Amino acid sequence: MTHKEFISEVQKVSGLDKQVCATLLSATVKLLAEEGTEQIPVEFEGLGTFVATKHPEYIEENPETHVVTLYPPRISYRFQSQMEL
Amino acid sequence: MITTQQFKILLAQYANVTEADASAFVHALLQTVMTRVKQGEPVTIQGLGTFRILDSQQGELRRLAFECDEKLKEAVNAPFSFFEPMVIERPKVVENSESSESSEISEDSEHSEISENSDNSELSEQLQPEQPQPQPEPEQPSPKRNRWDIVNIVLALVACVLLWYLFGANPQTPQPMEHIPDAPVVLADSAAGIQEQVADTMAVPVQPADTTIVSEQPADTVKTAPANTELPAETANNVPAEPAQASIKPESSIMPEPEERPAKPTPEMLLHENGAPRMVSLSDGERLTLIAEREYGDKTFWCYIFDVNAYRLSDPECVPKDVPLYLPDPSYFNIDADDPASVRKARNHGAKLLKPKQ
């Protein structure tokens, strides 16, 4: 299912305009990104929870080349399902 | 945590739509995803990710998986986007430790080999690892220290100049008295100036002398010059005085400056009736007046004693003790205590000597 097909189906279910659906979908993605930056989990009832976890910076040494590298911090985004399958 | 209801409100504010539209959209979104996923069809939302069903290895359990989109990853990690993985150089300390470890291992191996080959204790002592002794660092002169050295040198120079000004440049300032040895002093016969000076003082009007006798002089203080001194021979032959080895040099610290130094007395002033000069020295509490009264019968004749010794005395009121002084010949200066004219002349001469120098 592609993005256009998804928007068309959401439009049919919600009864909203296609352009409004596209705008709301784009806004939903941006909101999830902002909340993830602040590491605030977002829960969708019946589907699951989007959780953002921050990993601090770390130093890793290559055992073969003995090159030591400092990696910056990063935030990983994962999804915890609540869906009953 | 943000719940579904809170998310609908936030979405309505963010997208600038009504909450009903936002709620309908969220509801439709969740229903579509769950429907499609339950049908086993992966759902891809652009900018968010892909939802799909993953079958477990046993085939009985199924779970919903979400694969995050790269754009969402970049958006979430936007605050750390300017950081990049950085390669860190290995610290040198680690290399040194490794090298030291390797050297220790090699030394240990050598030590073990030799100890196995021989039991010589000297070799084992030589092979013991020498501990590095910290070498003292050479002291480097600090700029502050050099600065203080210069200041000290300047202060020393200033002190020298002040001392020279106070004691060397001004002849009027009192000079410290030094001990004059008892060795006979060679006299010069070029002291005719003293005779002229004494003759000049004869015409000075009489002035009362203020000299007083402090105490009586013991008789044993009067000395006679030794007969083997150079003075009689030189004075008899009228030879100009030259410093002999036994004689002392002129006392520069007691005598005034060379241009103002009185001339040495002539032999005629010093040789008495027996042909030898007589010498005397002051003891504690004595003055020239006491010597004059004892030797010549009147204290006013002290001025002649000072005259014949003026070449090495700077002040008649400050004559150091234990200094051998020549006694003048009474006949040369017409010293007669019974003659009022002689006493008056001596008094005038003494008053002239006591006048403050201008």
Side-chain angles (χ1 to χ4, degrees):
Chain A
M1 189 177 192
T2 61
H3 182 70
K4 290 183 179 179
E5 292 172 355
F6 181 78
I7 290 178
S8 298
E9 191 161 347
V10 169
Q11 179 191 2
K12 289 178 185 178
V13 173
S14 63
L16 299 173
D17 188 45
K18 189 177 181 181
Q19 185 67 28
V20 174
C21 286
T23 303
L24 286 172
L25 185 58
S26 176
T28 300
V29 173
K30 290 181 181 177
L31 263 177
L32 288 174
E34 290 183 1
E35 300 301 331
T37 302
E38 298 176 1
Q39 303 175 46
I40 299 174
V42 179
E43 180 187 13
F44 289 101
E45 190 175 357
L47 182 65
T49 306
F50 290 94
V51 179
T53 305
K54 182 181 179 181
H55 301 276
E57 63 274 13
Y58 62 99
I59 296 174
E60 186 181 72
E61 181 178 359
N62 190 323
E64 296 179 355
T65 61
H66 297 288
V67 175
V68 180
T69 308
L70 171 66
Y71 290 94
R74 66 183 179 87
I75 294 176
S76 64
Y77 212 69
R78 58 191 176 87
F79 177 75
Q80 295 177 351
S81 176
Q82 297 176 355
M83 195 174 163
E84 296 178 357
L85 297 173
Chain B
M1 178 179 287
I2 297 176
T3 61
T4 307
Q5 295 299 326
Q6 293 173 347
F7 186 81
K8 290 175 182 176
I9 299 171
L10 288 174
L11 182 62
Q13 296 174 355
Y14 193 85
N16 197 14
V17 295
T18 61
E19 291 185 7
D21 292 346
S23 178
F25 173 79
V26 171
H27 181 72
L29 177 69
L30 295 177
Q31 188 176 1
T32 303
V33 170
M34 287 189 289
T35 303
R36 291 293 178 174
V37 167
K38 284 183 180 179
Q39 294 175 358
E41 186 179 355
V43 178
T44 301
I45 303 173
Q46 190 175 358
L48 183 63
T50 303
F51 294 94
R52 69 181 64 189
I53 296 293
L54 288 180
D55 295 332
S56 64
Q57 293 179 354
Q58 287 80 9
E60 296 177 354
L61 298 176
R62 302 167 63 191
R63 64 186 182 91
L64 179 63
F66 173 75
E67 185 179 356
C68 187
D69 194 90
E70 291 296 328
K71 291 182 180 178
L72 181 60
K73 287 182 181 179
E74 292 178 359
V76 169
N77 288 287
F80 312 113
S81 60
F82 50 89
F83 289 123
E84 291 183 356
M86 184 173 60
V87 176
I88 301 174
E89 295 181 358
R90 186 180 295 275
K92 294 180 179 179
V93 177
V94 177
E95 295 177 356
N96 293 334
S97 63
E98 290 180 353
S99 61
S100 62
E101 288 176 358
S102 61
S103 63
E104 288 178 357
I105 292 170
S106 62
E107 289 178 355
D108 291 339
S109 61
E110 292 176 357
H111 176 64
S112 60
E113 290 174 2
I114 294 173
S115 60
E116 289 174 1
N117 294 331
S118 63
D119 295 335
N120 195 350
S121 60
E122 296 180 355
L123 288 176
S124 61
E125 291 177 358
Q126 292 177 358
L127 289 173
Q128 287 181 353
E130 296 179 356
Q131 296 180 353
Q133 298 179 354
Q135 297 180 354
E137 296 181 355
E139 295 182 358
Q140 296 180 355
S142 60
K144 290 183 178 179
R145 188 175 178 181
N146 294 334
R147 193 179 304 166
W148 280 111
D149 290 343
I150 294 172
V151 171
N152 290 333
I153 292 171
V154 171
L155 289 176
L157 290 175
V158 171
C160 291
V161 170
L162 286 175
L163 290 174
W164 175 82
Y165 178 76
L166 291 176
F167 298 106
N170 190 4
Q172 301 296 333
T173 57
Q175 298 176 356
M177 295 299 174
E178 292 186 358
H179 175 69
I180 300 175
D182 293 334
V185 178
V186 178
L187 301 177
D189 57 351
S190 61
I194 292 181
Q195 284 184 334
E196 296 175 358
Q197 188 177 2
V198 171
D200 294 338
T201 58
M202 303 295 182
V204 177
V206 177
Q207 293 183 0
D210 55 352
T211 57
T212 57
I213 298 173
V214 176
S215 63
E216 294 184 357
Q217 168 71 17
D220 56 353
T221 56
V222 179
K223 297 179 184 176
T224 302
N228 57 353
T229 55
E230 299 175 6
L231 180 61
E234 290 179 3
T235 52
N237 299 331
N238 200 13
V239 177
E242 292 182 358
Q245 292 181 355
S247 64
I248 60 172
K249 296 179 179 179
E251 291 75 13
S252 60
S253 61
I254 296 177
M255 295 172 60
E257 291 297 324
E259 58 272 13
E260 298 180 358
R261 184 182 304 170
K264 293 181 179 180
T266 59
E268 291 79 10
M269 300 178 182
L270 303 177
L271 294 178
H272 291 254
E273 294 175 352
N274 58 357
R278 296 181 62 195
M279 300 185 72
V280 69
S281 61
L282 298 180
S283 60
D284 291 337
E286 282 190 329
R287 301 182 67 176
L288 292 178
T289 53
L290 188 60
I291 300 293
E293 186 176 16
R294 188 180 66 234
E295 295 296 327
Y296 303 115
D298 196 311
K299 61 182 180 182
T300 55
F301 297 117
W302 67 269
C303 53
Y304 302 121
I305 301 175
F306 178 77
D307 281 340
V308 297
N309 296 282
Y311 69 98
R312 52 180 180 175
L313 298 177
S314 59
D315 190 357
E317 293 183 334
C318 185
V319 179
K321 67 176 185 177
D322 298 333
V323 175
L325 301 173
Y326 287 107
L327 290 175
D329 183 16
S331 61
Y332 183 83
F333 291 99
N334 294 325
I335 296 175
D336 187 4
D338 298 331
D339 186 5
S342 176
V343 174
R344 185 171 60 250
K345 184 176 71 175
R347 187 172 297 167
N348 294 336
H349 181 49
K352 187 177 181 182
L353 290 177
L354 292 175
K355 277 186 179 179
K357 297 180 179 179
Q358 296 179 353

